[in-house]
Amino acid sequence: MHILDIYIISDSLGETGALVAKAAISQFTTQDYSIKRFPYIHTLDELKAILEKASIKQNTIVIYTLVKSILADYTKEYTDEMGILAIDIMNPIIDALQEKIGTPPVREAGIIRKLDDDYFSRVEAIEFAVKYDDGKDPEGLENAELVLIGVSRTSKTPLSMYLGNRNIKVANVPLVIEIPPPKALFEIPSTKIIGLTNNAENLNRIRGERLKALGLGRGSSYATFERILDELEYAEKIMKKIGCPIIDVSNKAIEETAELILTLASKNSIDFNIQ
């Protein structure tokens, strides 16, 4: 028989209460205890049933993380009346923060888990952008929420990462004269495709700097005006064939282009879970 029963009562998972209880009990040598977690308690009837069980026990501690005032207040009243040792972990801290911040709390159960879900969703979107960057795997086009296409050095990768950080799954495909675009590009809805372009002067400068950084000479056709003009003409034909909107990224910051992309997507009735 356990000499100590620790009841963890929460209107969310009860992880906080359980972690605090385990951290505290670890300071004692006794192993004769049990921790019983009661998560997702949202009604007084559920709460009353648990507290009645606790009152029957000989040696019980109630630890509660109830953010809803009606539940927290009832727990305090009941445990005081029945002589049950009870510890409210959340509300003293919430009350202190309210006094300092000057605004009332939302009193929403499980909100920290919601924030965690948002974080992991954002990480997933960024990983998606990495996996389907630069046309690595055309199969990702079907699952992408947005697809960016354009010639080299039109900010496809940084835009994919930026939008991924906004919780949007983006794939990008380079348009190269010698390589036919993937068939999937013509099979997905054109409304989720955005074409990116740049003026020839900018591309000439950017590509020249890129070659210099790689230790290559500017003589490569990659940075010549003739090659760049041919690529831009080729890319424009594909974009017109697809029927997608085209954004000129010349002299635009990544953030500015991203907002234009989101505006176009909104006009096409694409609803993102933007964070």
Side-chain angles (χ1 to χ4, degrees):
M1 181 178 180
H2 297 299
I3 63 168
L4 180 63
D5 287 297
I6 303 173
Y7 276 39
I8 310 295
I9 306 175
S10 175
D11 39 21
S12 185
L13 276 176
E15 288 180 329
T16 301
L19 286 170
V20 171
K22 289 176 182 177
I25 200 71
S26 69
Q27 299 297 315
F28 300 87
T29 57
T30 180
Q31 298 296 316
D32 201 6
Y33 70 93
S34 70
I35 294 178
K36 299 178 180 178
R37 192 192 306 184
F38 300 90
Y40 302 117
I41 304 303
H42 297 299
T43 69
L44 281 174
D45 286 341
E46 292 173 318
L47 181 59
K48 288 175 182 178
I50 295 165
L51 293 174
E52 286 173 3
K53 288 181 181 179
S55 66
I56 297 173
K57 299 285 186 176
Q58 293 292 322
N59 200 10
T60 304
I61 294 177
V62 171
I63 296 175
Y64 57 104
T65 56
L66 298 164
V67 297
K68 294 180 181 178
S69 297
I70 188 171
L71 299 178
D73 291 345
Y74 182 84
T75 301
K76 177 171 174 50
E77 292 172 6
Y78 185 94
T79 53
D80 285 349
E81 182 181 346
M82 299 301 294
I84 301 171
L85 179 58
I87 303 166
D88 182 354
I89 292 178
M90 292 290 290
N91 287 285
I93 301 173
I94 290 175
D95 292 342
L97 289 171
Q98 180 178 351
E99 182 179 344
K100 290 295 183 182
I101 296 172
T103 56
V106 295
R107 296 285 177 183
E108 181 181 341
I111 195 168
I112 189 172
R113 180 155 296 279
K114 180 180 179 182
L115 293 174
D116 286 346
D117 289 344
D118 290 342
Y119 168 78
F120 287 114
S121 180
R122 185 177 295 110
V123 169
E124 183 181 358
I126 294 172
E127 290 177 343
F128 186 94
V130 172
K131 182 175 181 180
Y132 299 110
D133 179 46
D134 207 31
K136 290 175 184 174
D137 186 353
E139 291 185 5
L141 300 182
E142 185 177 346
N143 296 322
E145 294 177 287
L146 271 180
V147 177
L148 306 180
I149 62 175
V151 301
S152 174
R153 318 317 290 177
T154 50
S155 303
K156 297 185 299 300
T157 296
L159 280 166
S160 297
M161 298 303 171
Y162 181 88
L163 292 168
N165 197 47
R166 298 284 295 274
N167 205 26
I168 301 170
K169 293 181 179 178
V170 184
N172 73 75
V173 178
L175 299 179
V176 183
I177 295 175
E178 293 81 9
I179 304 174
K183 294 174 64 175
L185 198 58
F186 301 95
E187 297 171 349
I188 61 176
S190 61
T191 52
K192 74 174 187 178
I193 301 174
I194 302 289
L196 302 174
T197 190
N198 204 334
N199 66 52
E201 290 76 13
N202 277 348
L203 287 175
N204 174 256
R205 175 180 54 81
I206 295 169
R207 290 186 180 188
E209 292 173 354
R210 177 63 174 167
L211 290 174
K212 184 178 179 181
L214 294 173
L216 302 174
R218 291 183 63 92
S220 169
S221 64
Y222 173 72
T224 64
F225 271 107
E226 183 179 4
R227 171 70 184 191
I228 290 170
L229 290 172
D230 287 345
E231 286 187 22
L232 289 173
E233 183 181 0
Y234 170 76
E236 186 178 2
K237 287 180 180 178
I238 291 177
M239 293 173 190
K240 287 183 176 179
K241 182 178 179 181
I242 292 171
C244 65
I246 303 172
I247 296 176
D248 188 343
V249 302
S250 304
N251 303 317
K252 286 186 177 67
I254 294 297
E255 296 84 355
E256 184 181 358
T257 306
E259 291 305 319
L260 285 173
I261 290 172
L262 295 176
T263 299
L264 287 170
S266 177
K267 288 180 180 179
N268 289 330
S269 300
I270 300 177
D271 185 21
F272 300 118
N273 181 28
I274 297 176
Q275 304 299 333

